[in-house]
Amino acid sequence: MLRIGLRRAFLLAVVTAIAIFSGLSLGDSYYFELETPVCFDPHGIEYYPEHGTFVLIDPTYDFMYEVGPEGHLVSKHDLGTPACFDPEKIAHHPERGTFFLIDPDYDMFFEVTPTGGLVSSWDVDIPTCFDPDGIEYYPEHGTFLLTDPAYDFMYEVGPEGHLVSTHDLGTPACFDPHLIAYHPGQLNVWFCDPDEDLKYIYILQSVFEPDDPLFDPMDMHPSDGVIPPDLVPEYPIDSGFIVFVDPLCDALIVHPMDTDGDTIPDFYDNCPDMYNPDQVDSDGDGIGDACEICEGMRGDPNGDGESNILDVLYLVRGILNLEDLSFCERVNGDCDGSGGQIDILDVLGTVNLVLRISTCVTSCEELNCDDNNPCTRDYCNRLHARCIHAAVAGGIPCNDGNLCTDNDLCADGVCLGTPKDCDDGDPCTQDICNPADGTCYHSYIGEPEICDDGIDNDCDGLIDCDDDDCIVDYDGDGYSDEPCGDDCDDEDRNTYPGALELCDGVDNDCDDQIPADEADNDQDGYRVCDGVCDDSEDVIFPRAPELCDGMDNDCDSQIPADEADNDQDGSRVCDGDCDDNDDDIFPGAPELCDGMDNDCDDQIPADEADNDQDGYRVCDGDCDDGDRTINPGATENCNDRIDNDCDGLTDYDDAEDCP
């Protein structure tokens, strides 16, 4: 593994050294002549990671050349393929350690060893009309991806040629994808069109997720024309460069990669796989915030391992600037995945998570990051599952949607236009722009005078209260409305300066005061001036129904007799108290052993009777209520075999009374 890693680093070391000694910037492209025969026109290139070299093929000659990153010849091998087979493209299968060749005129794979020896051949299960002109190994599936410039489709096939899947590329009709190069480490496949002089490379976020959008085309053709047409691309793993082979000039061209399209070359970029033109690195560890790996989970900003009320309070403190949230704390607190600053929606989302009403966003598939702003590049950071709205370069033309602005340009992520000048210089015209069609209108101001703006709106030579149009009396009470009069309510003829105060809760005399007796504190619709005798109780007002509450509800200065509670037992006659002079008697009272109807249910329990009138009841313990000589207070007769004192003992069994 160390040997392979060193070889992968060799290309970057070579290019960097050349840049230093030649005075070039690492943003430039580099040109290396190939040590191959003049007659050899390489149409296929493949990076060979085990050697840190490139393998080239020419369809006219069945030879395979291995060259170093600066173009020097390493080895040459005769291909063991049929003479009629003209291999145009080549792909390396790392698990097998072999190379796969394809000829667009024959729908077949030929598998050869690194020294050109034929291993096997396979029929490819694709339509006859499909002539594959591009091939690339797809390590995530262990398959090959094929393209045909005549059809904007991509076929995925296995190493033995069987069809795995078919995908519509979604590229423009004019774009003919001859070439394909896989970008390791991401689900990104790059498609080039040599007929367009490699001006554009289309990047699919994921060809295996058809709902994912096609990225904007990336310009790979520098203005100085260093990269000529008819090139074939290859992406050496971990090098930070894309390498092209030029079949016409027998040369390698090494171009620095900008994988995420943020204009920062990969070897400068602190986050090469994530768009981050601002290169923000909050913790200064050399890794940009956009690809910072944050421990913990969404909805747990305080990092205690669970989502609870403490996380909610932590976010609130962050919003109030009482806590200085770190980048990863903001990521884990961004419950809705909207990106940017933590806000109340993130707090509410975390509350719902704690209450198990809903969950926080955990993947880009749950988000729609389009903010409908032409001045931001909207995408989802898949590492953090957050929407990113990066401002595009300032000065780019845009459309702010307002037809009454001109020269709309992006500035700091906002589309701003200059308001259209509709002023015709006439003070008696109203100059406005119609946003529906962007047309300027100049209407004569024959409109009502605005009485407090200091302008002669109706163009009659009079301003504000000097204009009779401002002296109005809508309610006909003889006083004009504000601001040119002092009628505080010109829609009520009972309200004007000096008017009599009515019992209506209104400032009738316009002195900014309402008499105290016009209050209706209990909101029962009656005021003190209406005769309310208690304005703190909404059940007390004139002609209110009398309630069984001991109060004068109807304000007639009388309380009905049946509302009395003479014995203060909490029950009134109107409540059903059957004896208002005895506080042991009221509805629901417990029955006492007193021979009275304590609970007012018109019944006296049978055990409260004293039938023999000896002063004792059954509930008092009288064991024979038919014999007045027998009761708990009687003297025990020791010779009559009767329990005279009701203690449960008879005669001499009662040792206490008959010793």
Side-chain angles (χ1 to χ4, degrees):
M1 291 300 293
L2 177 60
R3 179 185 177 189
I4 294 175
L6 292 174
R7 291 182 182 275
R8 289 174 179 173
F10 180 64
L11 176 61
L12 179 58
V14 169
V15 173
T16 303
I18 292 174
I20 293 173
F21 288 107
S22 63
L24 295 175
S25 165
L26 284 178
D28 296 329
S29 298
Y30 308 95
Y31 188 91
F32 303 99
E33 291 187 1
L34 294 173
E35 294 179 1
T36 54
V38 176
C39 61
F40 184 79
D41 298 326
H43 280 69
I45 180 173
E46 182 73 354
Y47 183 60
Y48 188 21
E50 286 82 353
H51 289 187
T53 56
F54 295 94
V55 176
L56 310 177
I57 57 171
D58 178 352
T60 307
Y61 300 92
D62 293 343
F63 278 91
M64 182 169 69
Y65 285 82
E66 181 181 4
V67 298
E70 72 281 16
H72 67 278
L73 181 63
V74 175
S75 63
K76 169 189 172 183
H77 306 284
D78 190 349
L79 295 174
T81 53
C84 62
F85 185 79
D86 299 325
E88 289 198 6
K89 299 297 181 293
I90 181 173
H92 179 53
H93 195 301
E95 286 79 9
R96 292 178 181 241
T98 57
F99 291 89
F100 279 69
L101 311 176
I102 195 163
D103 178 350
D105 295 328
Y106 297 89
D107 293 340
M108 293 185 66
F109 277 156
F110 279 83
E111 183 180 7
V112 299
T113 66
T115 58
L118 180 63
V119 176
S120 59
S121 61
W122 316 90
D123 286 326
V124 181
D125 186 15
I126 54 178
T128 304
C129 61
F130 187 82
D131 299 325
D133 200 31
I135 180 174
E136 182 73 349
Y137 181 65
Y138 184 52
E140 275 79 353
H141 289 186
T143 56
F144 290 97
L145 306 177
L146 307 178
T147 59
D148 177 354
Y151 299 91
D152 291 343
F153 278 88
M154 182 177 70
Y155 284 82
E156 181 185 10
V157 299
E160 290 78 25
H162 64 280
L163 181 63
V164 176
S165 61
T166 305
H167 305 279
D168 190 340
L169 295 180
T171 52
C174 62
F175 185 81
D176 301 326
H178 289 255
L179 311 170
I180 178 173
Y182 174 70
H183 180 187
Q186 298 183 42
L187 286 179
N188 288 355
V189 180
W190 300 44
F191 299 91
C192 307
D193 183 353
D195 296 333
E196 292 287 330
D197 295 345
L198 287 179
K199 183 176 182 181
Y200 294 114
I201 292 181
Y202 281 88
I203 309 172
L204 268 68
Q205 183 172 355
S206 171
V207 295
F208 298 100
E209 298 179 21
D211 292 335
D212 280 357
L214 179 72
F215 278 8
D216 293 335
M218 179 180 291
D219 190 345
M220 293 298 295
H221 191 190
S223 58
D224 59 9
V226 171
I227 298 181
D230 301 322
L231 303 185
V232 182
E234 174 63 358
Y235 187 96
I237 300 173
D238 299 335
S239 70
F241 295 87
I242 186 168
V243 178
F244 301 94
V245 64
D246 183 350
L248 301 181
C249 300
D250 292 349
L252 288 181
I253 298 175
V254 181
H255 186 73
M257 284 296 301
D258 178 20
T259 303
D260 54 15
D262 59 6
T263 72
I264 311 295
D266 286 357
F267 40 75
Y268 290 146
D269 199 334
N270 63 16
C271 189
D273 295 330
M274 294 285 184
Y275 183 88
N276 65 331
D278 53 12
Q279 296 288 288
V280 174
D281 181 10
S282 299
D283 54 12
D285 62 356
I287 300 175
D289 287 354
C291 55
E292 189 81 47
I293 297 177
C294 294
E295 297 180 355
M297 62 182 182
R298 188 63 58 85
D300 180 26
N302 68 0
D304 63 359
E306 60 179 337
S307 296
N308 51 38
I309 190 63
L310 297 179
D311 295 296
V312 176
L313 297 176
Y314 198 67
L315 289 180
V316 172
R317 289 179 60 82
I319 293 176
L320 298 177
N321 294 321
L322 300 177
E323 291 284 353
D324 185 14
L325 302 184
S326 68
F327 171 76
C328 284
E329 287 173 337
R330 292 197 304 272
V331 169
N332 290 335
D334 185 12
C335 188
D336 62 3
S338 61
Q341 297 296 321
I342 298 298
D343 55 25
I344 189 63
L345 295 179
D346 297 307
V347 174
L348 294 177
T350 305
V351 170
N352 287 337
L353 176 64
V354 172
L355 297 178
R356 299 184 179 180
I357 296 175
S358 62
T359 60
C360 291
V361 169
T362 57
S363 69
C364 285
E365 285 68 22
E366 303 173 56
L367 294 171
N368 177 10
C369 291
D370 185 4
D371 62 359
N372 296 315
N373 182 354
C375 293
T376 59
R377 183 176 185 265
D378 308 318
Y379 67 99
C380 180
N381 183 315
R382 289 185 174 272
L383 181 62
H384 301 144
R386 301 180 80 201
C387 287
I388 305 298
H389 310 287
V392 300
I396 294 178
C398 57
N399 184 353
D400 65 1
N402 186 352
L403 296 177
C404 288
T405 59
D406 296 321
N407 303 317
D408 301 341
L409 299 174
C410 289
D412 297 326
V414 179
C415 187
L416 300 175
T418 304
K420 183 176 291 187
D421 185 7
C422 290
D423 187 6
D424 63 356
D426 186 347
C428 281
T429 60
Q430 185 177 20
D431 308 316
I432 59 173
C433 177
N434 186 349
D437 57 14
T439 303
C440 287
Y441 289 92
H442 312 285
S443 57
Y444 179 75
I445 309 179
E447 299 179 1
E449 181 73 16
I450 299 175
C451 300
D452 57 357
D453 63 355
I455 298 173
D456 180 14
N457 307 96
D458 56 6
C459 294
D460 64 356
L462 300 173
I463 298 175
D464 295 348
C465 295
D466 292 333
D467 194 327
D468 289 342
D469 292 340
C470 291
I471 309 301
V472 294
D473 180 15
Y474 293 113
D475 56 13
D477 58 6
Y479 292 84
S480 62
D481 194 7
E482 298 174 336
C484 296
D486 48 8
D487 191 336
C488 54
D489 187 350
D490 204 36
E491 294 182 358
D492 185 350
R493 63 181 299 108
N494 293 318
T495 300
Y496 52 86
L500 293 176
E501 278 293 344
L502 305 178
C503 188
D504 56 5
V506 174
D507 178 17
N508 303 102
D509 57 6
C510 296
D511 64 353
D512 295 326
Q513 294 181 350
I514 298 175
D517 64 352
E518 291 188 35
D520 181 12
N521 296 317
D522 55 13
Q523 300 296 309
D524 58 6
Y526 290 86
R527 312 176 192 281
V528 176
C529 54
D530 288 323
V532 168
C533 48
D534 187 345
D535 199 34
S536 63
E537 293 282 348
D538 61 1
V539 296
I540 298 177
F541 52 85
R543 296 177 298 282
E546 278 292 343
L547 307 177
C548 188
D549 57 5
M551 295 193 293
D552 180 14
N553 302 96
D554 57 5
C555 293
D556 64 354
S557 302
Q558 294 180 355
I559 299 177
D562 62 355
E563 291 188 34
D565 182 14
N566 296 320
D567 52 13
Q568 299 297 309
D569 58 5
S571 293
R572 310 176 192 282
V573 175
C574 53
D575 288 326
D577 193 333
C578 51
D579 187 345
D580 199 36
N581 293 314
D582 189 333
D583 60 4
D584 289 328
I585 298 177
F586 53 87
E591 279 292 344
L592 306 177
C593 187
D594 57 2
M596 302 178 69
D597 180 13
N598 301 97
D599 57 4
C600 294
D601 64 353
D602 296 327
Q603 294 181 356
I604 298 175
D607 64 352
E608 291 188 33
D610 183 14
N611 295 319
D612 55 11
Q613 297 296 310
D614 58 2
Y616 291 89
R617 309 176 191 282
V618 175
C619 54
D620 288 326
D622 193 334
C623 52
D624 187 347
D625 199 36
D627 188 337
R628 60 182 299 110
T629 65
I630 298 174
N631 55 67
T635 300
E636 181 68 30
N637 185 336
C638 299
N639 298 302
D640 61 358
R641 299 180 181 275
I642 295 175
D643 180 14
N644 306 95
D645 57 3
C646 294
D647 62 355
L649 300 173
T650 304
D651 296 347
Y652 290 100
D653 291 337
D654 190 344
E656 181 180 348
D657 295 324
C658 298

